[in-house]
Amino acid sequence: ITTLDDTGIRYVYSQALDTQQVDMSQLPFVDKSKLGKSSQVIEEDSLVLTRTSPFKSNMLHLQPGAGVIINGNLFSITIASKYRNRYLLDYIAAFFNSTLGREQIERLASGTVIKSISIKDLKSLAIPEVSIDQQRRFLGHADKIIEMRMDLLKKLDEVNQELNKLVEEEFNW
């Protein structure tokens, strides 16, 4: 189903959600000729959540003209037009990754060995209702903190490289 050719459609699999932010450039392209009739191409920003535990979620921010296909173990969540004046998708994504959101998802999940969650369960989540302005303020503040963390991780990587170089130079006779 995948190809090396740039088709504009990427394949999203569960492991791609393990990172803080999904790197779309690392996802394989989908061979359009091998798509089944039931394959749905997602062409707008979407929150993706695994159907089974351990539950993972992440935002997919798509470039104009880009699309994704998700595997069968994932839900793609968007906001219905009638709720777009009440919720921002990135705010819901943050909620899903909060302790409260995770606890609700775990509580609603069913199964003994492998827990799973249904669309019906997801629709019953109690997402806090705050104003769009408050959601934007929260997301702006969170973005600043995430940027600070990215800067620190970059600096940590540089320090680790410097230390490795020092050690290699010392013992490379």
Side-chain angles (χ1 to χ4, degrees):
I1 188 169
T2 63
T3 181
L4 297 176
D5 298 328
D6 184 344
T7 62
I9 301 173
R10 302 263 186 179
Y11 179 72
V12 181
Y13 46 90
S14 301
Q15 292 84 355
L17 304 182
D18 288 340
T19 59
Q20 186 64 34
Q21 185 173 3
V22 177
D23 184 355
M24 298 297 285
S25 69
Q26 298 302 308
L27 299 176
F29 287 105
V30 174
D31 184 343
K32 292 179 185 179
S33 68
K34 295 184 180 171
L35 288 178
K37 291 183 181 184
S38 63
S39 298
Q40 182 182 0
V41 178
I42 300 164
E43 296 177 324
E44 63 180 314
D45 289 354
S46 182
L47 171 60
V48 179
L49 173 74
T50 56
R51 293 175 186 257
T52 57
S53 64
F55 298 104
K56 299 180 280 187
S57 64
N58 215 321
M59 278 296 301
L60 297 179
H61 292 285
L62 304 180
Q63 299 296 321
V68 295
I69 298 276
I70 60 174
N71 80 8
N73 186 40
L74 299 174
F75 286 120
S76 170
I77 300 167
T78 57
I79 299 176
S81 57
K82 68 180 182 179
Y83 294 109
R84 288 192 178 152
N85 63 341
R86 291 176 53 192
Y87 292 105
L88 299 173
L89 193 56
D90 286 297
Y91 186 80
I92 294 173
F95 171 74
F96 275 30
N97 287 312
S98 71
T99 301
L100 177 62
R102 290 284 170 208
E103 286 174 352
Q104 284 190 49
I105 290 169
E106 288 291 338
R107 190 180 74 249
L108 292 170
S110 60
T112 51
V113 178
I114 298 177
K115 288 189 169 200
S116 64
I117 193 159
S118 69
I119 287 286
K120 179 183 169 193
D121 294 331
L122 288 176
K123 287 180 178 180
S124 70
L125 288 174
I127 300 170
E129 284 199 46
V130 298
S131 72
I132 291 287
D133 288 338
Q134 174 59 30
Q135 292 177 47
R136 284 190 180 106
R137 281 192 296 276
F138 165 79
L139 292 170
H141 190 74
D143 285 345
K144 288 178 186 173
I145 293 171
I146 289 168
E147 189 175 319
M148 287 174 22
R149 181 180 59 197
M150 297 296 282
D151 291 342
L152 287 170
L153 289 171
K154 182 179 177 185
K155 183 67 177 169
L156 180 61
D157 187 48
E158 291 169 0
V159 169
N160 283 334
Q161 287 178 19
E162 189 175 328
L163 177 60
N164 289 340
K165 181 180 175 186
L166 177 68
V167 170
E168 290 303 316
E169 287 174 354
E170 179 65 26
F171 299 105
N172 187 16
W173 340 310

